Amino acid sequence: MKKEFVGIDVSKNTLDVSLYHLKAHKVFANSQSGFDALLNWVGKQSGSSEAAPVFCFEHTGIYSLGPCAFLQERTITYHLVSGLQIKRSLGIRRGKNDKIDAEGIARYAYLYREELKPYDLPARSILKLRTLLTYRSKLVRQAAAHKASLTEMKAVLGPEGDPLIRESSQRMIMVLEEQLRTIEKQLKTLIEEDESLEQTHRNIRSIKGVGLILASTLIARTNNFEAFNTWRQFACYAGIAPFEHRSGISYKGKTRVSTLGNRQIKCLLSQAAATAILHNAEMKTYYNRRVGEGKSKMATLNVIRNKLVSRIFAVARRKSPYVDIYKFAA
């Protein structure tokens, strides 16, 4: 019997499971009992097949943590794939529901069976770091929304505005900023409690422009710099790697970055690059020279973003602080 490919569409309460070869489908609860029932059902459907079934599902944040932990505890190989990657690989589709999505994931697992890489859950400290950073991002957006609303109200109604709304917005901003400071303290504590994370954090913070939030985010998203083989792979993930846009001899577009990168990391790297230009003599000289030669400011900023990522990966991999040799130059 052929090796079976199991596609799982994960939602908050349910798991829609589809088998590629057998064309079978069933819904299970997204809970411990549901995971047990799913595994038993797949085993019965696969029958006498000697090859272990291939489990594949898309990354849905905290909702996919349960299935991941369940399969990992039983040393069952599984594959966690980006939802966008699955969607774009399946071509034009009409209609959408959980069953169709599960069938699409099973088909994706079969078509790309030679390229799938097993997934391992990060350490608990990394998962907690990600949770804190995700919650911090939510608070930052809320604080920014209140500040924008307050600014607009002052612009329309004058400095005084509506006293009730003004005071309420100011209190909300104060509370949110206090919570952000608390979360940042917790991030530091969490990193200091893990010797490996603390060493990586200390080393990459030795690079001018890299602050607590960028360092924590990079550690969390790279699984302490183990999830990416090279800094160039991460640059592609972050959306700062330039790509050619050309076809034959008739179309020669400008080399530019993709819009598919991680926007949060891209924004943090932009802030780090701007800080490096102000406080790092080498970066400042490089930026001024390129701009003086007529190069685009944004293109130059992107080069500096890539330089920072390259240096961050270098010090993280060799486990030593960054050495600024520019200041020793004659």
Side-chain angles (χ1 to χ4, degrees):
M1 190 174 182
K2 295 180 180 179
K3 176 191 288 190
E4 192 53 79
F5 292 84
V6 185
I8 306 175
D9 181 66
V10 182
S11 60
K12 180 179 179 179
N13 298 316
T14 61
L15 303 173
D16 277 76
V17 184
S18 180
L19 305 183
Y20 180 75
H21 289 299
L22 295 174
K23 307 301 180 186
H25 170 264
K26 194 169 183 178
V27 180
F28 300 90
N30 191 352
S31 64
Q32 192 66 31
S33 59
F35 305 151
D36 288 323
L38 185 159
L39 206 57
N40 291 332
W41 179 75
V42 171
K44 290 179 181 178
Q45 293 292 321
S46 301
S48 59
S49 176
E50 296 181 359
V54 176
F55 292 86
C56 181
F57 46 101
E58 64 179 297
H59 198 298
T60 55
I62 59 174
Y63 300 144
S64 58
L65 286 179
C68 287
F70 175 82
L71 294 173
Q72 196 151 313
E73 286 173 2
R74 287 155 180 76
T75 64
I76 297 174
T77 301
Y78 64 98
H79 309 276
L80 199 65
V81 185
S82 162
L84 180 62
Q85 186 174 343
I86 294 174
K87 179 180 179 181
R88 296 209 165 195
S89 70
L90 298 177
I92 299 174
R93 301 174 68 193
R94 294 173 176 82
K96 183 186 186 307
N97 57 44
D98 293 340
K99 180 180 178 181
I100 292 175
D101 290 343
E103 291 173 350
I105 295 170
R107 181 171 179 267
Y108 173 90
Y110 172 74
L111 293 176
Y112 294 89
R113 57 191 180 278
E114 300 296 334
E115 301 173 23
L116 288 176
K117 295 180 180 179
Y119 184 82
D120 285 318
L121 268 179
R124 188 178 297 274
S125 56
I126 295 288
L127 291 175
K128 190 170 182 180
L129 202 60
R130 290 181 181 179
T131 302
L132 284 173
L133 288 167
T134 299
Y135 184 61
R136 181 188 177 277
S137 297
K138 184 185 294 185
L139 294 183
V140 168
R141 290 194 297 271
Q142 291 175 353
H146 282 288
K147 289 177 182 178
S149 177
L150 195 59
T151 301
E152 290 174 359
M153 186 185 70
K154 288 180 179 179
V156 175
L157 302 178
E160 297 301 324
D162 187 302
L164 176 63
I165 297 176
R166 185 187 70 250
E167 292 175 8
S168 176
S169 295
Q170 290 172 342
R171 284 198 299 270
M172 288 297 297
I173 291 170
M174 290 177 60
V175 170
L176 289 169
E177 289 180 344
E178 178 61 31
Q179 289 300 308
L180 286 170
R181 287 191 288 270
T182 301
I183 288 176
E184 288 172 9
K185 290 179 182 178
Q186 183 61 33
L187 287 172
K188 292 179 182 178
T189 302
L190 182 61
I191 290 172
E192 289 170 358
E193 289 174 349
D194 189 304
E195 184 178 350
S196 176
L197 299 187
E198 199 280 330
Q199 182 187 42
T200 302
H201 177 261
R202 184 176 62 253
N203 290 335
I204 64 179
R205 285 289 299 274
S206 65
I207 301 171
K208 289 184 179 179
V210 180
L212 171 66
I213 302 305
L214 175 59
S216 303
T217 302
L218 293 178
I219 290 172
R221 293 303 168 190
T222 63
N223 194 11
N224 200 16
F225 294 88
E226 294 180 359
F228 296 86
N229 294 326
T230 66
W231 72 266
R232 290 181 176 83
Q233 287 183 350
F234 181 79
C236 183
Y237 166 76
I240 63 173
F243 291 94
E244 282 188 332
H245 287 77
R246 58 184 298 177
S247 178
I249 61 173
S250 60
Y251 176 71
K252 294 182 180 180
K254 292 182 179 180
T255 298
R256 58 181 185 268
V257 297
S258 172
T259 59
L260 298 178
N262 186 307
R263 294 184 180 180
Q264 181 189 15
I265 294 178
K266 189 174 182 179
C267 179
L268 289 173
L269 287 171
S270 295
Q271 295 171 2
T275 302
I277 291 169
L278 289 175
H279 301 287
N280 185 308
E282 179 188 1
M283 294 296 189
K284 185 175 183 178
T285 301
Y286 178 80
Y287 178 83
N288 290 334
R289 177 173 60 81
R290 273 184 59 99
V291 173
E293 293 171 352
K295 300 297 178 70
S296 165
K297 290 184 179 180
M298 282 305 300
T300 305
L301 186 71
N302 191 60
V303 173
I304 293 175
R305 288 190 298 202
N306 279 275
K307 283 179 176 288
L308 286 176
V309 170
S310 173
R311 292 178 181 183
I312 290 168
F313 266 73
V315 300
R317 292 283 169 79
R318 71 172 183 243
K319 299 182 179 180
S320 62
Y322 175 71
V323 179
D324 187 5
I325 60 174
Y326 184 81
K327 62 183 179 181
F328 299 111

